[in-house]
């Protein structure tokens, strides 16, 4: 501040007819140019950020389509929800599954957690032995068969086989639909 006043005083000394508080035409032009450059550089910066953002699209995390679920002996008869959140799959162990042609044959199958109405995720209700969709009320048996609400078809099943290391391997690249007669496929049901 003291320096500015000193410089104004110096200017006034050199040209006493000039009011040190008045801005000269040259100073005004310089100020306008600087302001213009400032605006230009700000705009260029925003534009560059936009381009960078465009070149780096959002990346969505997709869980792997195949996963190992552990040894078959880890699963008791019933519905296992260990892989519901991470892999969108219920592992179901059953003593019999007539819907897949395995009447009286114990085994395991992998059930999709996606409701076949509009894609919500049903909740498993152990007391009622069913999956209940919170969106429009569809109900599914633990086999995956739909029995109430607007869902037009059963839940889908995934390919399930035993890996070389003895673990259950679930492959979501291959789905099996009951209405297409695909639950009888040997890889839609793991005999144990
Ligand atoms: S999405 Fe499940 S009942 Fe509509």
């Amino acid at each position: 501040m003291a320096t500015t006043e000193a410089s104004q005083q110096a200017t006034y000394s050199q040209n006493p007819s000039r009011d040190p508080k008045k801005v000269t035409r040259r100073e005004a032009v310089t100020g306008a140019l600087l302001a213009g450059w400032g605006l230009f550089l700000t705009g260029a910066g925003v534009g560059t950020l936009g381009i960078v953002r465009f070149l780096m699209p959002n990346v969505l995390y997709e869980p792997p389509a195949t996963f190992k679920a552990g040894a078959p002996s880890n699963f008791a008869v019933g519905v296992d929800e260990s892989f519901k959140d991470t892999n969108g799959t219920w592992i179901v162990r059953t003593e019999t599954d007539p819907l897949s042609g395995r009447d009286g044959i114990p085994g395991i199958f992998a059930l999709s957690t996606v409701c076949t109405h509009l894609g919500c995720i049903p909740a498993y209700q152990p007391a009622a032995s069913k999956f209940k969709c919170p969106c429009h009320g569809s109900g599914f048996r633990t086999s995956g068969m739909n029995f109430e609400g607007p869902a037009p078809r059963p839940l889908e099943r995934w390919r399930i086989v035993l890996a070389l290391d003895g673990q259950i391997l679930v492959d979501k690249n291959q789905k099996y639909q009951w209405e297409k007669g695909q639950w009888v496929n040997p890889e839609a049901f793991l005999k144990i």
Side-chain angles (χ1 to χ4, degrees), residues 114-122 132-140 148-152:
V114 177
C115 178
T116 52
H117 180 224
L118 293 176
C120 291
I121 307 298
K132 186 71 174 171
C133 186
C135 292
H136 313 98
S138 289
F140 303 86
E148 63 181 356

Side-chain angles (χ1 to χ4, degrees), residues 12-82:
Y12 184 66
S13 316
Q14 288 163 9
N15 185 5
S17 63
R18 189 188 159 201
D19 181 346
K21 295 215 166 32
K22 266 194 174 171
V23 177
T24 65
R25 182 186 178 84
R26 185 177 182 169
E27 287 167 341
V29 169
T30 305
L33 280 173
L34 286 175
W37 270 107
L39 279 175
F40 171 75
L41 291 174
T42 304
V46 170
T48 304
L49 279 177
I51 291 171
V52 170
R53 182 83 182 76
F54 176 75
L55 292 175
M56 297 175 67
N58 284 339
V59 176
L60 294 176
Y61 171 73
E62 286 271 350
T66 61
F67 65 97
K68 287 185 176 176
S73 56
N74 291 347
F75 296 90
V77 171
V79 175
D80 185 288
E81 299 208 87
S82 306

